Amino acid sequence: MIPLKDYNPTKRFAFVTFLIIVICVVVYVFVQPVGQAPIFESDPSKSQQVMGEELRFDLFNAAIPCEVITGDPLSTDEVERTFLQQPSDTNACERNDTSPPVYPNKNVYLAVLFSMFFHGSWLHLLGNMLFLWVFGNNIEDRLGVAKYVVFYLAAGLAATVAHIAVQPNSTVPIVGASGAIAGVMGAYLVLFPNVRIKSLLILGFFVLFRDISAKWLLGFWFVFQFFTGPNSGVAWMAHVGGFVFGLVVGLIFKAIDRPSQPEAAPWA
């Protein structure tokens, strides 16, 4: 199920949500070297394999569980075991590694923030931005600009922590706003459970457009994450962690803040 729009008007334009979308698109188009080179490529002058531009960018800028746990950038040996060795070892984290770091000046904690604005492909980017726009504008409208900014970043951090908690030895970079957006979706489920969402349903060869209650669409999305699996290449636990964080924040906010207007367009 792909959400296309919700029947939930806002009182003001979602400036922060729009700005996040613009930043993510600009970073993907003009900053990230996505798909410009293979992970490793041959260097005739050195008769050896060297890292491609995309991998170098991700290793230097993106969050990596092993680095966050140890506080140190990945070593040459860890990178080679993860990306060059066959079969690759995606849990090549070695706490007593003596080989030199690939990027010794990397701030491994600041990279957690940077990762929230990176994406791995056009499909990844466009899907995330669609979900963010459909659900983010109402959360921003309800929380207000300042609280929404703090909430969005905190949701992304919670998602990263959840991912690292289940894969602390992973040496694979984390990219994508999915965890933070999952937080937005969790808050939406609490604050606007009965709002209708115009959705695209793909059932085999059939494509349908249906209005679905937010509680069913978001509930299905959340349960589906547990069937994604650790070998899918998707940071599914980051989605779960972000979503649960959004649920909790939504419940707290709902308890302390009573809106003056009833929820828009109720529909079960």
Side-chain angles (χ1 to χ4, degrees), residues 51 59 67 72-80 94 96-105:
M51 290 187 293
L59 290 176
E67 294 183 335
D72 298 316
L74 291 185
S75 68
T76 302
D77 181 62
E78 288 169 330
V79 171
E80 290 180 351
E94 178 56 63
N96 297 316
D97 192 359
T98 58
S99 61
V102 175
Y103 293 111
N105 297 322

Side-chain angles (χ1 to χ4, degrees), residues 55-68:
L55 178 58
R56 292 198 302 270
F57 179 90
D58 289 345
L59 290 176
F60 183 71
N61 295 286
I64 300 174
C66 177
E67 294 183 335
V68 176

